[in-house]
Amino acid sequence: MLDIRQFRENPDHIRERLATRGEEFAAKVDDVVRLDSERREANTAVEELKAKRNAASKEIGALMGQKKLDEAEAKKAEVRDIGDQISELDAKAGQVDTKLRDILLRLPNLPHADVPVGATEEDNTEISQWGEKPAFDFEPKPHTEICESLGLVDFARGAKLSGSGFLLYSGWGARLERALIQYLLDMHVHEHGYTEVSPPFMVGYDCMIGVGQFPKFEDQAYMVQEGLDEESRGKLYLIPTAEAPVANIHREEILKNEELPKYYCAYSPCFRAEAGAAGVGTRGMIRVHQFDKVELIKVVEPEGSYDELQKMLGNAEKILQSLNLHYRILQLCTADMSFGSATTYDIEVWAPGQGDYLEVSSCSNCEDYQSRRMNLRYKDADGKNRHPHILNGSGTALARLFVALIETYQQPDGSIAIPEPLQSYLRTDRIPASE
RNA sequence: GGAGAGAUGGCUGAGUGGUCGAAAGCGCUCCCCUGCUAAGGGAGUAUAGGUUAACGCCUAUCGAGGGUUCGAAUCCCUCUCUCUCCGCCA
């Protein structure tokens, strides 16, 4: 959520920055400014009336104490009238407030000044590349073929169980997935200093609001119902990312500044309805309704949050480097960034069988956008309450990492070589060509 | 799922309709006093919003939301969470 004070002090700046993400957002600025002043006006009026009522009520109390009952009764009649005015004005103020809040919750974060302005993903800029595309002396197969021939993923039965977009990992495939999860967590915990957490895989509405998923993207979430109780529907949602629970860990808290920074990492499955998204219906592991991911979350003081973002990006890169997978880093343009982000870097890993780069990580600094939505604060060195910056990054998404790994390390004989760091996790240096 | 108890400021804990935003204690901060040792005295110590040049003033908040009332921490309703016991269960 954007700071309402900024709208009062510098609406032009907000309008200009929002316009880089879409004119429809910039168009809301005037509404916000107008509603804010309406709200304050109504509020002031209500508060004045309340002050009057409180004072009069105290007088009544005093009169009652002195047994001056007639005077007290007269006063009561007078105050009752004030009460009616208050409820009327209060209701009006409440309506304005709801309207204002609704608009604010649907406005995205302001992009950082350094973010390239763009209209589509075509306008993202490549920052760097690491490694090289591996050379093959045979035609590299796509992961779907490899998975089928080695029995790593049973696409047909996954679909039989839950529909398209659901995967049944099996045998070496299931073991590789588990090995990767373990490997990623261990690296972030032991080498990068993150605290591992294992969060609930369902969260309440407020958590989804807090990270900016809701209200705008409610159509993309899986809503849960308890048994046949329709009343319970909407109390919980399957998490689209571990960011939803983990970034909310300290929601509505006031942290001490010495408690910062907080570094969390978490494994979780991620559930995405992907309503209307391209590629959901197609076979394979690139876009699915459920995938595993190891997520990194940081809660830090605003000063230095961009250094923390670079470090986080480096932590995610380290995974790919250690597995010797070629990748590139993109900085997303204003239009392609997620809702709450002020700056986002995507890491795309090379998948030879696809002949394409796959997004496996997205590292964002949301600045105080989320902490404001979730009312998370910390006391700074001067004892003032401030909103910390919240960063999130995938470290990394699993299904696509799985794809890149098996497509990169496929051998002419159909087996898959296992990179050295994973060998102890998988207890082999090679997934054999056939069982 | 059933029965019961509870939720008050950083913590402990009073407070059942009228200067209660809230006693007391602990903790913490500052000041004073004292130089023989975890001593004593005093002051301060929630959050948000509005208003003011500022001191300040006003409003809201005693788990959350609603209601009764001139007035609610206190009465009523709904919800959430915690604890105890029983049942069921991975």
Side-chain angles (χ1 to χ4, degrees):
Chain A
M1 191 152 63
L2 300 173
D3 187 354
I4 188 69
R5 261 170 284 212
Q6 277 200 57
F7 282 87
R8 290 174 205 158
E9 288 160 15
N10 205 346
D12 292 338
H13 174 249
I14 299 214
R15 193 178 297 112
E16 179 200 316
R17 295 308 298 158
L18 280 179
T20 64
R21 305 194 65 146
E23 284 300 333
E24 71 272 25
F25 300 122
K28 294 285 184 194
V29 173
D30 288 335
D31 289 342
V32 171
V33 172
R34 183 176 48 80
L35 287 169
D36 177 52
S37 87
E38 263 179 47
R39 183 185 62 91
R40 278 191 296 166
E41 233 168 78
N43 236 340
T44 308
V46 168
E47 286 181 3
E48 274 170 15
L49 285 173
K50 282 185 178 169
K52 242 194 209 170
R53 183 182 66 184
N54 288 346
S57 288
K58 275 186 187 168
E59 283 178 43
I60 292 172
L63 290 171
M64 301 283 271
Q66 296 163 32
K67 301 280 181 215
K68 296 178 178 170
L69 296 182
D70 290 348
E71 286 179 50
E73 285 304 321
K75 203 85 186 168
K76 277 189 194 179
E78 190 184 309
V79 178
R80 197 173 293 136
D81 204 46
I82 299 179
D84 292 342
Q85 293 179 49
I86 289 176
S87 6
E88 198 180 312
L89 265 175
D90 235 355
K92 202 181 290 176
Q95 281 172 11
V96 175
D97 198 54
T98 306
K99 226 188 279 177
L100 178 61
R101 191 176 156 75
D102 188 61
I103 295 178
L104 284 176
L105 285 177
R106 288 166 193 275
L107 288 178
N109 201 1
L110 302 183
H112 189 275
D114 295 342
V115 175
V117 175
T120 70
E121 63 181 54
E122 302 294 311
D123 300 316
N124 296 339
T125 44
E126 186 173 311
I127 301 282
S128 63
Q129 291 207 358
W130 186 91
E132 283 172 16
K133 294 176 187 169
F136 291 87
D137 47 18
F138 59 97
E139 184 67 25
K141 293 182 202 152
H143 69 280
T144 41
E145 276 182 41
I146 302 170
C147 284
E148 276 178 344
S149 65
L150 299 192
L152 304 183
V153 175
D154 188 335
F155 293 105
R157 291 197 176 94
K160 179 173 76 175
L161 295 175
S162 308
S164 77
F166 288 92
L167 302 172
L168 172 63
Y169 293 84
S170 76
W172 282 108
R175 292 170 62 184
L176 177 57
E177 184 75 356
R178 176 164 56 88
L180 283 169
I181 293 168
Q182 183 87 351
Y183 174 64
L184 303 190
L185 284 172
D186 278 349
M187 176 167 305
H188 295 310
V189 168
H190 296 298
E191 293 182 34
H192 300 152
Y194 289 79
T195 300
E196 182 174 347
V197 291
S198 180
F201 298 157
M202 294 187 258
V203 295
Y205 193 87
D206 288 343
C207 285
M208 297 291 268
I209 286 277
V211 292
Q213 288 282 341
F214 286 2
K216 201 164 170 168
F217 302 111
E218 280 192 56
D219 56 339
Q220 293 296 326
Y222 285 104
M223 190 192 275
V224 173
Q225 173 174 313
E226 274 176 43
L228 300 176
D229 179 11
E230 291 188 21
E231 294 274 305
S232 69
R233 194 188 296 162
K235 272 167 68 180
L236 292 172
Y237 297 82
L238 296 185
I239 59 174
T241 156
E243 177 195 352
V246 177
N248 274 290
I249 288 176
H250 299 290
R251 180 155 59 95
E252 283 166 46
E253 292 182 20
I254 301 176
L255 299 170
K256 302 191 182 85
N257 67 332
E258 61 264 27
E259 291 182 81
L260 298 181
K262 297 270 189 192
Y263 287 12
Y264 291 113
C265 73
Y267 154 74
S268 87
C270 301
F271 302 93
R272 302 197 177 175
E274 299 286 8
V280 213
T282 58
R283 213 164 57 114
M285 305 169 65
I286 311 288
R287 191 173 290 279
V288 285
H289 290 304
Q290 179 188 326
F291 61 93
D292 295 308
K293 180 156 62 67
V294 169
E295 182 78 357
L296 307 173
I297 297 286
K298 290 185 177 187
V299 181
V300 303
E301 296 194 69
E303 293 74 22
S305 70
Y306 280 90
D307 291 339
E308 294 284 358
L309 179 61
Q310 292 300 330
K311 271 167 60 184
M312 179 184 268
L313 182 64
N315 297 152
E317 286 184 70
K318 186 71 200 298
I319 298 290
L320 301 180
Q321 291 172 5
S322 71
L323 297 174
N324 203 15
L325 294 171
H326 168 58
Y327 65 85
R328 65 180 185 184
I329 298 178
L330 305 179
Q331 176 166 20
L332 300 193
C333 73
T334 50
D336 202 31
M337 287 197 303
S338 69
F339 208 61
S341 176
T343 295
T344 298
Y345 298 105
D346 272 6
I347 303 178
E348 297 188 336
V349 69
W350 176 250
Q354 308 296 303
D356 203 357
Y357 289 95
L358 302 177
E359 179 191 337
V360 285
S361 176
S362 190
C363 296
S364 300
N365 185 355
C366 295
E367 299 189 352
D368 61 3
Y369 183 85
Q370 294 180 324
S371 57
R372 205 178 290 285
R373 287 170 86 98
M374 61 181 76
N375 199 21
L376 163 62
R377 290 159 296 174
Y378 77 100
K379 283 217 183 294
D380 70 9
D382 300 325
K384 279 196 60 171
N385 289 330
R386 297 175 67 193
H387 295 287
H389 285 189
I390 299 180
L391 290 70
N392 68 77
S394 346
T396 63
L398 264 289
R400 291 175 186 172
L401 180 63
F402 187 109
V403 168
L405 195 82
I406 63 175
E407 289 189 358
T408 297
Y409 286 101
Q410 58 182 304
Q411 304 299 308
D413 66 358
S415 68
I416 297 166
I418 296 303
E420 195 276 327
L422 274 181
Q423 290 174 7
S424 60
Y425 287 93
L426 205 55
R427 302 192 190 183
T428 187
D429 59 1
R430 179 169 298 264
I431 294 177
S434 59
E435 289 291 285

